[in-house]
Every structure is written in C-alpha cells, then in structure tokens.
Amino acid sequence: MHKISFRKMKSPHLLVYLFLFAALFSLSWATSAHTHERFLHCLSLRSEDSSFISKIIYTQHNSSYSSILEFSMHNLRFSTPSTAKPQVIITPFHTSHIQATIYCSKKHELQIRTRSGGHDFEGLSYVSEVPFVIIDLINFRSVDIDVENKIAWVQSGAVLGELYYRIAEKSKTLAFPAGICHTVGVGGYFSGGGYGLLFRKYGLAVDNIIDAQFIDVNGRILDRKAMGEDLFWAIRGGGGGSFGIVIAWKLKLVPVPATVTVFTISRTSEQNAIKLVHRWQYVAHKLPDGTFSLVGLSSVNSSQDGKKTILASFRLFFLGGVDELVPLMQERFPELGLVKEDCTEMSWIESILYFGRIQNKSLDILLDRTFQSPLISPAFKAKSDYVKEPVPEIALEGLWSKLFEEEAKSAGIVFVAYGGIMDEIPETATPFPHRAGNLYKILYTVGWQKEDNKNSQKYISWIRRVYSYASSFVSQSPREAYINYRDLDIGINSKGNTSYAQASIWGYKYFRNNFDKLLRVKTMIDPENFFRHEQSIPPLLSVRKKRGN
C-alpha cells in the first residue's frame, strides 16, 4: 500500500475536504449524542417515577450495557466491533414504559427495534443502519394457562420453552403448535407465522391465536376488537416490527394424546440415502396429518475410509403409539425399513426435547433462555425455499455435492414436509401464504464460530452458491421464502427512497398475494412509517407516490 504524504501535495483541496469531513463527522457525533440526551430527558419527563426509569435504561456508559445487549443475541455474526449498536436499551416492566419510549423515539427521530428472544436471522431486532433504541421485552414474559377453557395468555418476551413448560405443568394432553427451538421468543416467532411438530394437524401458531394486546404508533393499547380484523389479520404473520408492538397473545391450546412416538433413521450415501430422500418427496406430504416429517442433510466422516460422505437423517413425530405408526410407515414408506426398535414413545413435552436434540436434559432446560441450541451454530447465515414438484435424483446429487465443499463443515440442509391441514387453510387466512401446493420447505444454513467472523464472507458466498444452484427446482414467480428465516439478500427498503418495485422484491417472496393488503393495513395504522426496518412494510401511499401512481 502506498503512503500519502500531505506535505508533497500541491493542491489544498484534499486538505480542505478532509477538514470538512472531520468537522461534519464531529458534528454528526455531537448531534447524535445530543439526540440521545434529549431522548433520555424525554423519558424522565414521561415517567411517573423517574428513579425507577433509571433502572430499566442502559446506555453505552453503563457497565452492564454490553451484557444486556448480548444476552439475547443469538446470531454472533453481528457481535463485532463494527456492528452498529443501539444508543439506548430499554427493558420495560410496564406498558407505560413502552408507550413513553414510542413517544420519545418519535419526538427525537430514533428508530425502535423490538426484541423478544433475539433469534432474528439477520439480527434486525438488535441492529440498525440508523440511530436506534432497543425495547427488550425480557420482563414481559408471563404465561397464564387456563386448562378448563383450553386457552393461554403469553407475553411477547417469553420464549417457547417457557410457554411449553407452563402448559405441561397444568396438562399432559394439551399443547400449542409452535417450534422446537425452545429459546425462540414468542413475539417475533408468532409475528412471522410459526410452524412446528403440530402444524400439519392444527396449522401454524398464528392459526391458533385468538386475541392480542397491541401498542400502536400513538401509544394506544388495543385488543382484537379495538384494532379491527384487518390489523389483527396483519400482525399474525405479517412480520415483527412492521405495525407496532404486540405485548401479549391469547392462544387456543390444542389436544394431544398422552403418548406420541418419534424416530430418527440415518443413512449415508453408501446406504442408498439419495434414493430414500428422492422417495421421501412423494410420501411425506401425504402422511396422516398427525405426523411431522423432516430430512436433515449434512456431511460427515465415513466410518469406512475416513472420507466425507453425506448423512441423511429421517426424523418423524407421530400423534399416537408405536403399534399404529410402524405398520403405517411400512405401508407408505417401506424403503425406509422402519421397525419397532427404531421408535420411542414419550409425551408431547418430551418430544420437544427430542427434536431440539436436548433429550438428555431435564424439562427445566426449557426455562433456560441462554442455552445454546445444538441445532444451529453460534454465527450463521440462512436461506429458505419452497418445493412444489419432486426434485430429480440428479439434481439432489448436485445439491449434496455442495456439502462436500470446505465451507460446509458446519452447514446443513433440511427438508420439512408440508401437506395435512396446511393444504386446507386458505392462503389469505393470515398474511402467511405458503399453504396448499407445497411438498416441503427447505432451510439452508451455514455456520461458524464467533472467532471466525473475519472469514464470514466465504461462508456467506457458499450459501449463496447453493441457493443459486437450487433456483431451477424450487418455487417460481415468485421464488418464495419464509419470513421467519429472514434473508436480507432478497431485498431491503432503501434509506428514504423505497419504491414499490423495490419493496415488492421481498414482499411477494414472503407474502405472495397478501402483500398489497399488508400495505393497506400499514398505511392505516402507521402512515408516517415510524415502525420500519430493512424489511418492514412501507406505507402504501408513499410507495405508490414514488412509483408514479
């Protein structure tokens, strides 16, 4: 690299430019600091107890700031010195604290990021490109179970494990259809749809939400009746952080038998795995709706010669006993060779531990928000697809070959079967549109350790190559994606210059034919676009104005 000597420069223009840049940078920093101070002053004025407010506010001058920020940071790809940090973190105990934060953020032009569990795949609950504050809902985590009426109220800061644990405390035959990673916060999870072991029987989490408590841009607290059916429709799958802040959800609990059955059968390439996966595509989505079926693909060392091979793990959950499941699978999928000894009977709550790969832990692990799930690496990048026609064997072979590459040592590809009741619920029932016509969903992940963040681009390049390879055999026009597997590669809202065409790039992939209705709701509830992040829904009026309508 060449060194520049300012003494040898004949023109003063560059020195003037550098002086102006330094002055502007200092002015920007000072302005930001001033805004931060005014924001804190505003909060103190809006609070009835300013001494209590000081106990829930963390700035970069607080010794505990970093620990609070990182406590719910579940993708360490964003735990770097260069990652933008919030000016303030608020951990409210009461709705009035949230209302005050919304008011003061609007007044002093600070963006709000709302965090429940911190599992956003792109870190959007704790990262922003503009000055921002975090409302961390960790203190909004109560769970109230009503067994007699089969309902539950859960606050957005609770994690799925806390919800499951409290249900199991009261009943062995009630459950809620949600995911298997117990540290995921319910707020973000419900906002994007939410699938899990029971979704082919009872639908998504959002299909079983019957009311909510919501704070809008003006600080009003609204329930389903007050907000109206259009907004209630939008918050159940339209994406977290787009419309306001949901502080609690009313859930319809569903019945499950006292005994369920699970199995895992793994086969390598040498054991005909590719033909089994190919056959699985024709079988899994047609199984009874009381089953949940997935196939996980990864590279492992071969026990024969130490070389790499592909391992396909077939995992299945069944609402019933082993004596019913084995003959069913022997009839529908005889190639898999399932026998009774492959199966394990257990309770529904134990199946959550089994699929979370923590079956050797006690149920108390479900209450541990800090647990590092073995399902995903500390730092990672993910993408998703939907498949509507079986993928030919030769194409599967090409996909598998990507897993032999050096960057894929901590990579995985998961196929999750659809079908069941998902084929019956209309696409427009909630903003989540991926219903009938899907054989399965694909999740691609690649991970690494935090210490390897400096090499993150090589892993991200790998997953982009895999995603590009898959383009010919997944959904088309649009190529669909699951919003809870957030992927900023798809497209982002430009800073202040969002056009309808730009927004619709990701909007139609995530929401298909529901995108225009979401825009109308966004315009109604948040016309100034206060609740906005890189993939929030821009107001309908502004995007249409910018496209010339």
Side-chain angles (χ1 to χ4, degrees):
M1 181 180 294
H2 296 288
K3 293 183 179 179
I4 299 176
S5 173
F6 293 116
R7 294 180 180 178
K8 295 181 179 180
M9 289 183 178
K10 297 180 179 179
S11 172
H13 296 306
L14 182 57
L15 288 174
V16 172
Y17 171 80
L18 290 173
F19 173 79
L20 289 174
F21 176 81
L24 288 172
F25 180 82
S26 299
L27 179 61
S28 174
W29 182 90
T31 301
S32 177
H34 188 50
T35 299
H36 157 217
E37 292 171 358
R38 288 185 298 172
F39 170 78
L40 294 177
H41 181 63
C42 176
L43 282 183
S44 67
L45 293 177
R46 301 288 295 186
S47 172
E48 297 179 359
D49 183 357
S50 58
S51 63
F52 184 75
I53 277 285
S54 65
K55 298 175 184 178
I56 64 170
I57 293 176
Y58 302 87
T59 72
Q60 296 186 23
H61 299 296
N62 293 117
S63 59
S64 52
Y65 171 88
S66 295
S67 62
I68 294 294
L69 176 62
E70 295 174 4
F71 182 81
S72 297
M73 186 180 289
H74 287 283
N75 188 349
L76 298 184
R77 173 157 61 105
F78 305 104
S79 180
T80 67
S82 60
T83 302
K85 306 294 191 298
Q87 294 194 7
V88 183
I89 303 171
I90 297 98
T91 57
F93 278 95
H94 304 293
T95 54
S96 62
H97 302 151
I98 301 175
Q99 291 168 309
T101 303
I102 292 173
Y103 174 85
C104 295
S105 296
K106 285 179 62 180
K107 182 177 178 65
H108 298 292
E109 299 182 337
L110 288 170
Q111 191 179 82
I112 286 178
R113 292 298 167 99
T114 308
R115 184 166 72 174
S116 54
H119 276 268
D120 189 294
F121 279 16
E122 295 284 6
L124 296 187
S125 62
Y126 49 85
V127 176
S128 178
E129 295 293 329
V130 298
F132 72 109
V133 301
I134 290 177
I135 296 178
D136 193 318
L137 296 174
I138 191 168
N139 297 318
F140 275 72
R141 54 197 289 193
S142 69
V143 181
D144 184 18
I145 308 297
D146 181 348
V147 172
E148 182 178 354
N149 294 302
K150 299 180 180 179
I151 60 173
W153 272 102
V154 56
Q155 290 185 314
S156 288
V159 295
L160 292 177
E162 291 171 321
L163 172 61
Y164 295 155
Y165 188 92
R166 299 308 173 196
I167 294 173
E169 273 187 326
K170 299 289 185 69
S171 173
K172 305 304 180 186
T173 55
L174 286 177
F176 186 72
I180 59 176
C181 183
H182 76 271
T183 57
V184 170
V186 303
Y189 178 83
F190 291 168
S191 297
Y195 77 98
L197 299 180
L198 301 173
F199 88 119
R200 297 182 71 253
K201 177 70 173 179
Y202 296 114
L204 306 170
V206 294
D207 297 322
N208 296 276
I209 292 173
I210 54 180
D211 205 342
Q213 291 180 340
F214 174 85
I215 302 181
D216 72 3
V217 68
N218 296 312
R220 298 179 301 169
I221 302 176
L222 309 173
D223 61 8
R224 178 175 182 172
K225 182 178 180 180
M227 74 177 74
E229 289 302 304
D230 281 354
L231 179 55
F232 183 64
W233 172 88
I235 63 175
R236 292 177 297 138
S242 290
F243 306 98
I245 299 175
V246 180
I247 55 175
W249 310 79
K250 186 179 183 180
L251 315 178
K252 177 180 66 178
L253 304 182
V254 300
V256 292
T259 298
V260 303
T261 306
V262 300
F263 71 74
T264 300
I265 293 179
S266 297
R267 298 286 185 265
T268 64
S269 299
E270 294 77 13
Q271 296 170 320
N272 227 16
I274 193 166
K275 291 189 178 297
L276 290 174
V277 173
H278 183 258
R279 178 61 184 157
W280 177 91
Q281 298 177 102
Y282 293 86
V283 174
H285 69 287
K286 294 180 179 179
L287 290 172
D289 58 13
T291 62
F292 170 89
S293 179
L294 66 77
V295 180
L297 307 176
S298 60
S299 63
V300 297
N301 290 325
S302 172
S303 59
Q304 296 178 353
D305 52 16
K307 294 183 179 178
K308 291 284 188 180
T309 186
I310 299 300
L311 185 73
S313 295
F314 299 82
R315 312 191 83 202
L316 187 137
F317 164 92
F318 178 66
L319 286 170
V322 64
D323 290 336
E324 185 181 357
L325 175 60
V326 171
L328 170 68
M329 294 301 294
Q330 289 176 345
E331 176 188 354
R332 302 286 187 91
F333 197 4
E335 298 89 345
L336 191 59
L338 180 72
V339 294
K340 188 174 183 178
E341 290 71 23
D342 295 320
C343 303
T344 304
E345 291 184 335
M346 59 183 60
S347 65
W348 164 75
I349 192 68
E350 289 171 331
S351 74
I352 297 296
L353 302 187
Y354 178 87
F355 274 85
R357 297 184 187 175
I358 50 175
Q359 61 266 37
N360 59 334
K361 305 285 186 179
S362 73
L363 289 180
D364 290 342
I365 193 68
L366 296 175
L367 302 177
D368 184 357
R369 302 172 67 100
T370 64
F371 182 78
Q372 176 60 47
S373 171
L375 297 175
I376 203 157
S377 297
F380 64 91
K381 171 70 177 176
K383 291 179 172 290
S384 63
D385 265 317
Y386 285 89
V387 178
K388 300 181 182 296
E389 299 290 339
V391 179
E393 274 191 47
I394 190 170
L396 289 175
E397 289 176 352
L399 185 62
W400 288 21
S401 68
K402 307 295 184 185
L403 291 169
F404 288 120
E405 297 178 13
E406 179 187 355
E407 299 87 346
K409 58 186 177 182
S410 294
I413 301 173
V414 180
F415 298 170
V416 178
Y418 266 54
I421 199 173
M422 293 296 286
D423 284 342
E424 302 173 17
I425 299 174
E427 178 178 315
T428 55
T430 70
F432 183 95
H434 315 290
R435 308 281 189 170
N438 290 303
L439 301 184
Y440 58 95
K441 172 166 55 187
I442 303 179
L443 167 64
Y444 316 88
T445 62
V446 62
W448 58 93
Q449 297 300 311
K450 177 183 177 181
E451 296 75 23
D452 205 17
N453 265 335
K454 61 183 180 297
N455 296 316
S456 61
Q457 281 306 311
K458 76 174 184 179
Y459 301 109
I460 293 172
S461 295
W462 176 86
I463 201 170
R464 287 171 177 165
R465 293 196 303 272
V466 173
Y467 187 72
S468 177
Y469 170 81
S471 62
S472 62
F473 53 77
V474 296
S475 59
Q476 305 287 335
S477 300
R479 182 177 183 178
E480 300 173 36
Y482 178 35
I483 189 171
N484 272 354
Y485 294 158
R486 191 97 67 183
D487 180 10
L488 288 182
D489 288 351
I490 288 176
I492 63 174
N493 290 330
S494 302
K495 298 176 185 177
N497 297 306
T498 302
S499 70
Y500 186 87
Q502 287 173 317
S504 64
I505 290 173
W506 60 264
Y508 285 116
K509 288 177 184 285
Y510 286 145
F511 303 118
R512 286 168 51 92
N513 298 325
N514 292 326
F515 186 53
D516 284 342
K517 183 176 179 181
L518 286 168
L519 286 174
R520 289 194 294 273
V521 176
K522 175 67 171 176
T523 301
M524 173 190 72
I525 194 66
D526 184 17
E528 296 180 1
N529 205 21
F530 174 70
F531 285 104
R532 173 179 179 169
H533 51 63
E534 281 82 350
Q535 284 189 324
S536 69
I537 297 170
L540 181 63
L541 296 178
S542 66
V543 295
R544 285 190 171 170
K545 181 178 179 180
K546 287 172 183 175
R547 69 170 177 166
N549 286 355

